[in-house]
């Protein structure tokens, strides 16, 4: 069982935050800051910098992160632009005219932005074909693409591998084989005094790296192409919004990276247990503590049943199914009961 002990549980600390591992959480925040808010690839060959508040900033690469995931550059730019809403007393003709003017202005703005950022835009000529090739490549299939496209795919793989390994104990956080393919020496950790790249939050005995990476790519792609995506002002806003995408994306994929990402996004609500089986086992082994448990949002959870990832287990395991926030809320309730009993 990972991280059901050695956690802090005070009013000022998230419920499941692992004490002494703050650098790992800050690295996750730095990753989201660079790839989502800045929409920029990370240059893992350069040391990250540390701000006065302790936050970490990765060095910027030459490409947009959305582009190496196969997102059209202009589509990525327009993803967070909301179409004007219709006024209460506005006629069809007036609204159509205003929308036409708005669309014209957006076109002009995108053209100007593309011209200003020419070195970073348009390196991938056909994003749709590239995305298909990237999916095949991440799935272990042979792909016949140009060297430039292969370098982009290896750069995407470098980010996804690094993110997957970040929370794993006794496994070096790195870009894995993508470093060799890109011929880069990783120096991102050089300024992180006292940080051990093999430090982690959970022990993973066995996990399919392919399934984890494919799910990561799908989650981030869907998030980056979210229609009317809001303009995020902070990493906290990104993490709050990302949770739904972690649960909704590729519901048939049971890759345990979902649990790792959930914990990173909200360590107060999602425990640092990497496997769904162990989460359900935790609930089953402490079900006596659930006698007074009441669902906090019955209608909300019922809606999530069809939208969020769930997992059924073999009958021999004698475990209730994992059901997204239903299971997660029970874990929180049990954990709080256990800590209250220990304190009393």
């Amino acid at each position: 069982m990972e991280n059901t002990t050695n956690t802090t549980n005070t009013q000022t600390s998230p419920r499941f935050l692992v004490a002494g591992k703050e650098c790992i959480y800050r690295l996750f925040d730095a990753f989201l800051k660079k790839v989502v808010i800045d929409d920029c690839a990370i240059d893992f060959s350069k040391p990250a910098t540390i701000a006065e508040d302790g936050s970490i900033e990765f060095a910027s690469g030459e490409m947009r992160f959305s582009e190496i995931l196969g997102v059209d550059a202009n589509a990525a730019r327009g993803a967070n632009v909301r179409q004007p809403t219709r006024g209460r007393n506005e006629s069809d003709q007036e609204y159509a005219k205003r929308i036409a003017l708005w669309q014209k202005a957006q076109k002009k703005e995108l053209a100007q932005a593309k011209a200003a950022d020419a070195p970073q835009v348009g390196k991938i000529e056909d994003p749709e074909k590239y995305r298909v090739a990237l999916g095949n490549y991440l799935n272990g299939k042979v792909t016949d693409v140009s060297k430039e496209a292969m370098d982009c795919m290896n750069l995407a793989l470098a980010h996804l591998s690094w993110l997957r390994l970040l929370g794993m104990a006794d496994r070096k956080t790195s870009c894995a084989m993508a470093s060799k393919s890109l011929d880069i020496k990783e120096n991102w950790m050089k300024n992180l005094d006292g940080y051990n790249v093999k430090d982690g939050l959970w022990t993973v005995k066995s996990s399919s790296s392919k399934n984890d990476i494919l799910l990561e790519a799908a989650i981030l792609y869907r998030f980056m192409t979210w229609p009317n995506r809001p303009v995020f002002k902070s990493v906290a806003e990104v993490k709050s919004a990302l949770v739904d995408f972690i649960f909704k994306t590729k519901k048939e994929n049971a890759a345990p990276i979902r649990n790792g990402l959930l914990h990173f996004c909200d360590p107060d609500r999602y425990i640092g247990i990497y496997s769904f089986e162990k989460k359900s086992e935790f609930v089953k082994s402490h079900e006596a503590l659930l006698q007074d448990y009441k669902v906090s949002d019955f209608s909300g959870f019922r809606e999530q049943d069809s939208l969020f990832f769930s997992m059924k287990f073999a009958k021999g395991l004698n475990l209730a199914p994992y059901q997204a926030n239903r299971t997660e809320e029970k874990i929180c309730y049990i954990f709080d009961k256990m800590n209250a009993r220990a304190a009393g």
Side-chain angles (χ1 to χ4, degrees):
M1 188 73 65
E2 307 108 314
N3 295 351
T4 55
T5 59
N6 190 32
T7 55
T8 53
N9 185 32
T10 68
Q11 292 181 344
T12 59
S13 178
R15 183 186 278 110
F16 301 119
L17 185 76
V18 184
K21 309 288 187 177
E22 290 78 10
C23 188
I24 299 175
Y25 294 99
R26 290 200 297 269
L27 282 167
F28 179 75
D29 289 358
F31 181 90
L32 291 186
K33 163 70 167 55
K34 186 59 62 178
V35 306
V36 175
I37 295 180
D38 298 344
D39 189 14
C40 190
I42 296 169
D43 186 344
F44 291 102
S45 70
K46 296 179 181 177
T49 57
I50 314 298
E52 290 184 3
D53 63 359
S55 62
I56 299 171
E57 177 83 17
F58 283 115
S60 298
E62 295 181 354
M63 296 189 69
R64 295 185 181 280
F65 179 73
S66 58
E67 191 175 10
I68 64 174
L69 281 186
V71 180
D72 179 82
N74 285 342
R77 288 176 178 276
N80 62 356
V81 180
R82 293 183 181 275
Q83 181 172 300
T85 56
R86 183 171 178 168
R88 179 177 296 179
N89 299 316
E90 191 172 20
S91 68
D92 292 345
Q93 186 177 3
E94 290 173 336
Y95 182 56
K97 184 178 180 180
R98 189 157 62 90
I99 288 295
L101 290 173
W102 175 82
Q103 290 174 335
K104 185 177 180 180
Q106 287 299 306
K107 253 185 176 180
K108 183 178 179 181
E109 184 179 335
L110 287 173
Q112 291 173 340
K114 183 173 182 179
D117 290 344
Q120 288 193 353
V121 175
K123 291 191 177 184
I124 296 172
E125 294 182 2
D126 191 331
E128 181 58 31
K129 287 184 178 179
Y130 170 82
R131 188 165 70 89
V132 172
L134 175 63
N136 289 333
Y137 183 60
L138 297 179
N139 206 22
K141 298 178 181 178
V142 177
T143 53
D144 183 16
V145 296
S146 67
K147 181 184 182 303
E148 185 176 42
M150 182 57 73
D151 286 344
C152 289
M153 287 194 277
N154 277 315
L155 186 56
L157 179 59
H159 286 72
L160 299 170
S161 297
W162 185 94
L163 179 59
R164 173 180 180 267
L165 291 166
L166 176 62
M168 294 188 181
D170 300 321
R171 296 194 187 185
K172 183 179 179 181
T173 300
S174 70
C175 301
M177 293 302 294
S179 289
K180 185 176 181 180
S181 300
L182 293 168
D183 193 25
I184 61 171
K185 182 179 179 181
E186 295 183 47
N187 290 306
W188 56 270
M189 74 296 286
K190 294 299 182 183
N191 289 335
L192 307 180
D193 294 338
Y195 171 68
N196 182 349
V197 292
K198 286 191 175 182
D199 198 6
L201 303 175
W202 39 78
T203 301
V204 180
K205 292 183 179 180
S206 63
S207 174
S208 170
S209 60
K210 184 176 74 173
N211 283 343
D212 279 348
I213 286 172
L214 284 169
L215 183 57
E216 283 180 327
I219 291 169
L220 290 169
Y221 179 86
R222 187 171 179 182
F223 190 73
M224 299 297 279
T225 55
W226 175 11
N228 295 326
R229 180 162 58 94
V231 177
F232 296 109
K233 298 179 181 179
S234 68
V235 172
E237 290 181 358
V238 174
K239 291 192 291 187
S240 178
L242 187 58
V243 167
D244 276 8
F245 288 81
I246 294 170
F247 276 128
K248 288 180 180 179
T249 305
K250 292 181 74 70
K251 292 189 294 179
E252 77 285 355
N253 189 333
I257 189 64
R258 286 188 204 272
N259 292 316
L261 294 175
L262 287 171
H263 177 71
F264 275 131
C265 285
D266 190 351
D268 189 60
R269 184 174 181 83
Y270 303 106
I271 196 170
I273 294 179
Y274 200 67
S275 98
F276 297 105
E277 290 85 353
K278 288 187 177 180
K279 281 189 172 183
S280 291
E281 182 183 342
F282 180 77
V283 173
K284 180 68 177 178
S285 61
H286 297 93
E287 60 186 357
L289 296 176
L290 291 171
Q291 290 181 355
D292 298 324
Y293 166 73
K294 293 182 180 179
V295 177
S296 64
D297 183 6
F298 180 80
S299 60
F301 286 178
R302 188 172 182 178
E303 181 181 355
Q304 290 173 8
D305 288 343
S306 61
L307 298 176
F308 282 9
F309 171 82
S310 63
M311 184 178 184
K312 293 182 179 179
F313 304 104
K315 290 183 179 179
L317 294 177
N318 193 29
L319 295 174
Y322 173 85
Q323 292 180 287
N325 282 323
R326 289 180 183 269
T327 300
E328 301 292 348
E329 184 174 84
K330 289 177 182 178
I331 292 174
C332 290
Y333 186 87
I334 290 169
F335 183 85
D336 291 345
K337 279 274 190 175
M338 291 170 66
N339 279 272
R341 178 177 293 181

